[in-house]
Each structure stands twice: as C-alpha cells, then as structure tokens.
Amino acid sequence: MKKFRTWLSKLLGYGITALLIFGVFSLVALFGGAIMHFFGFTYESTGSLILFFVIAGLAGFPCEILANALPMALLHMGKISKTAARVLFVLLDTTVTVFFMLLVDYLMDSVAATDLSVIVIAFIMAMGSVKDIRERPEDVEESSPSHKTDN
C-alpha cells in the first residue's frame, strides 16, 4: 500500500507539472497567435493554434539549444563581446524559429501563417530570451557581492 501511495503521489506531481507547463505553453500560443493575427495569421480553432506552437516548439527545440549555445560559447571563450553574442543569438534564434514555424505551417492545413507574421513573432520571442546571454563566469564572480572578501 505504501508503494502505491508513493507511485500515486509521483504520478500526481508529474501530472500537475505537465498541466502547468501546458497551461503556460497555451498562454504563449494565444499571445503569439494574437500578435500574428495582426500580420495575417489565421487558424481554424484555438486547438490548432496551440498545436501549431507546440509542434513548432518541440521540433525546433534541439536547434534552439544550439542557437543559444554557440553565442554563449564564443562569449565565454572571449571571441566576441556580450553585445555581439546577444546579436548573434537573436539572429540564430529568430532564424531557427522562422524555419520551424514555416515548416509546421506548410504541414498543417488548419493554420495559415504569413512570412511576416512568423518573422515578427520569432523576433519577439528571441528578444524575450536574449537576457539568457550572460557575462563570462569570471566577470560575474568578480562583480558578485557574495564573492568579495573584507580585509
């Protein structure tokens, strides 16, 4: 009986987590769909709108990891500045998002996205994530108050 309760509590925890993630993803999809609608995006139902964003997000996720990792790696190696890393990230992330959204648009009959609507939302999403590009670790440690010593 104790194993069943632990199994049930884990299942309930994972279920609640999955519902929260799906809820946040749905809000992003509705917000994105509203913005894209101004630029000619159409969809048959709210479900197809959410499905469009879910599929595009899942399909593009591996490439978006690389789009985030490349500028961070170049920044941490000292090859580019923080500003250049952020510009590179926005370009790569926007390009990857546009590619996968247009691919999903091509494959889904229930949505019709214009190129402009996809570019606009991809750019907005990239700008929302650009803050993830951080300073090199040694710069952060030196400026952090928790690493300063009192002499």
Side-chain angles (χ1 to χ4, degrees), residues 39-127:
F39 298 99
F41 179 71
T42 59
Y43 51 93
E44 290 179 4
S45 67
T46 306
S48 61
L49 169 67
I50 293 171
L51 186 63
F52 172 78
F53 275 89
V54 168
I55 293 173
L58 290 175
F61 185 69
C63 291
E64 289 192 20
I65 289 174
L66 292 173
N68 190 3
L70 180 63
M72 288 288 286
L74 292 173
L75 176 64
H76 288 213
M77 291 183 339
K79 302 290 183 187
I80 59 175
S81 68
K82 183 178 176 182
T83 303
R86 286 183 170 183
V87 169
L88 180 61
F89 169 77
V90 168
L91 288 173
L92 291 174
D93 191 62
T94 301
T95 303
V96 167
T97 304
V98 165
F99 175 78
F100 282 100
M101 281 190 166
L102 289 176
L103 178 65
V104 172
D105 172 51
Y106 177 75
L107 297 173
M108 283 183 71
D109 292 333
S110 59
V111 296
T114 63
D115 294 344
L116 180 62
S117 68
V118 171
I119 291 169
V120 167
I121 198 65
F123 182 72
I124 290 171
M125 291 168 71
M127 291 303 290

Side-chain angles (χ1 to χ4, degrees), residues 9-23:
S9 66
K10 286 181 182 179
L11 181 65
L12 187 62
Y14 289 134
I16 290 172
T17 303
L19 284 175
L20 286 173
I21 290 171
F22 182 74

